[in-house]
Amino acid sequence: MKKWIAVSLVALMLTACGSSQKQVDQEDDGAYTQDDLERETSDVYRPSNPGEDDDGVEKGSKPEKSRDATVENTSDPKTEPTSEPKKETPREAPKETPRTEPKSEPKKESDPTVEEPRKDTTPKSEPKKDEAVGRRILMGEFIRSVSDNMDALEESKGWKEFLKAKEKFTDRLDKALEKGNDERGKSAESAWAEAIKAWYEVRFAREAFMHVNRNSGSDFEPGAGLNYEELEAYTTEQLSSEACMRTTAAYELTEPEMKDVRKFQTDVLKYDLVAGKVFQDEDYAKKWKDEKQKWQDATNGEFDDKDLKKYR
């Protein structure tokens, strides 16, 4: 191809020169002849096969360049083999391992000869609710029974003995207070000694009364109160026990009377100078020695049968 372009350029140059020479010859000789052409082109290369280009390629077989410098395909699409696009082999999706479902056991056929028990369809009340209602009823019965026992104990011999000891203590205390306000000295001290002696006696009377009427065991401690809220401290067995009802009745009778007895120690013996002096005096302590000992034994559950006869 390069050779062909070079030959063409040489031909064009020679043509230009020939035309100029022709003009000169025409000016000189006249018309331009075949001899003149052969003489001018004698050194120009000519292919041996005039039907082919100088590089041996058949004329017209090369694709011509279009104006936009792209090569036009002049070949027949029917004769030219076409390459089909490669088909992509689709990827196989990962195989899922089939889940093995647990085999359901075949239902056992019930024996037609055996009848299944009928289910109770009646609605049942909640156990806790029934228990709460039962305890509520039990508490009401406990309160009524304690009240009846209190009425009975007020007629008992032991209660009367306790009240007698309480009256004696109250009378001795009043006299000691009068002596302390009106005069000082031995007379006032003696009055306080008698009051202290009566104080031990009434406390013993209360222990004896409770001992006789305490039929419940040591695990039951009265004093919770006589209302539904406070009675929750007792078990169902205790609320059903006649002995616990009797013990509670004795406690409820004596407890209000014992308030003044307890105040004697916290308010009088602690703050009254004469009473406190007598209470600490060893000589005066001999006057209530026996009463004090009986009371101390009673708090430990020790009683003389002769003393308990007054309270039965």
Side-chain angles (χ1 to χ4, degrees):
M1 186 64 183
K2 290 180 180 180
K3 291 179 179 181
W4 171 250
I5 294 172
V7 171
S8 299
L9 290 174
V10 172
L12 287 175
M13 292 175 63
L14 292 176
T15 303
C17 293
S19 61
S20 61
Q21 183 66 37
K22 182 180 179 181
Q23 290 179 359
V24 174
D25 293 339
Q26 285 178 356
E27 291 179 359
D28 296 337
D29 300 336
Y32 185 78
T33 62
Q34 184 68 29
D35 296 331
D36 295 331
L37 177 61
E38 291 179 358
R39 184 179 61 250
E40 293 176 355
T41 59
S42 60
D43 57 348
V44 177
Y45 171 78
R46 288 181 174 86
S48 58
N49 189 354
E52 294 180 357
D53 291 336
D54 57 352
D55 54 359
V57 180
E58 184 179 357
K59 292 182 178 179
S61 63
K62 291 185 179 181
E64 297 181 358
K65 292 185 179 179
S66 60
R67 291 180 182 180
D68 54 356
T70 57
V71 179
E72 293 181 359
N73 187 7
T74 58
S75 60
D76 190 0
K78 293 181 180 180
T79 60
E80 190 172 352
T82 57
S83 59
E84 295 182 358
K86 295 181 180 180
K87 295 182 181 180
E88 295 184 358
T89 305
R91 297 181 180 179
E92 294 184 359
K95 296 182 180 181
E96 294 184 358
T97 305
R99 296 181 180 178
T100 56
E101 299 291 338
K103 295 182 179 180
S104 58
E105 296 181 359
K107 296 182 179 180
K108 295 180 180 180
E109 295 182 359
S110 57
D111 190 354
T113 58
V114 179
E115 292 183 0
E116 295 183 356
R118 295 182 180 179
K119 295 182 179 179
D120 189 5
T121 58
T122 55
K124 296 180 180 180
S125 57
E126 297 179 359
K128 290 184 177 179
K129 187 175 181 181
D130 291 345
E131 184 180 351
V133 173
R135 279 184 61 84
R136 188 86 174 178
I137 295 172
L138 202 58
M139 289 176 187
E141 294 177 352
F142 183 87
I143 293 172
R144 286 190 294 272
S145 179
V146 169
S147 178
D148 294 340
N149 276 275
M150 289 174 66
D151 294 339
L153 287 174
E154 286 180 341
E155 302 298 328
S156 65
K157 184 179 179 181
W159 178 246
K160 292 177 182 179
E161 286 293 327
F162 171 76
L163 290 180
K164 189 186 294 184
K166 174 68 184 301
E167 291 173 1
K168 181 180 180 179
F169 166 72
T170 304
D171 181 66
R172 298 283 179 87
L173 177 59
D174 292 340
K175 288 180 179 180
L177 291 172
E178 291 175 2
K179 291 286 185 180
N181 293 331
D182 296 339
E183 56 185 274
R184 301 293 178 179
K186 296 294 183 181
S187 180
E189 292 177 0
S190 180
W192 282 115
E194 292 296 327
I196 294 171
K197 182 179 179 180
W199 178 56
Y200 281 113
E201 289 176 348
V202 69
R203 289 200 289 174
F204 169 79
R206 198 258 182 171
E207 292 295 331
F209 179 77
M210 288 297 301
H211 178 77
V212 170
N213 295 285
R214 186 183 180 93
N215 300 327
S216 61
S218 59
D219 59 331
F220 178 77
E221 188 64 32
L226 289 177
N227 56 69
Y228 290 99
E229 183 177 355
E230 292 173 332
L231 288 177
E232 287 290 348
Y234 297 150
T235 64
T236 302
E237 290 76 12
Q238 290 171 339
L239 290 173
S240 305
S241 172
E242 290 290 340
C244 293
M245 297 174 189
R246 185 78 170 184
T247 302
T248 302
Y251 176 87
E252 293 295 331
L253 273 178
T254 59
E255 188 61 22
E257 302 291 340
M258 292 300 294
K259 288 182 180 180
D260 295 338
V261 177
R262 295 191 182 98
K263 287 182 179 180
F264 179 73
Q265 184 176 9
T266 57
D267 297 348
V268 178
L269 295 179
K270 187 175 181 179
Y271 295 105
D272 191 284
L273 295 177
V274 179
K277 178 184 176 182
V278 172
F279 187 65
Q280 299 295 332
D281 192 287
E282 295 181 359
D283 293 334
Y284 280 113
K286 295 175 182 178
K287 291 188 175 182
W288 62 75
K289 179 180 177 181
D290 294 339
E291 288 74 15
K292 181 181 178 180
Q293 188 62 48
K294 288 174 64 174
W295 168 75
Q296 288 180 338
D297 293 340
T299 57
N300 295 325
E302 299 176 5
F303 294 91
D304 191 338
D305 290 338
K306 294 179 181 179
D307 295 330
L308 289 179
K309 287 181 180 180
K310 298 179 181 179
Y311 299 93
R312 288 195 175 100

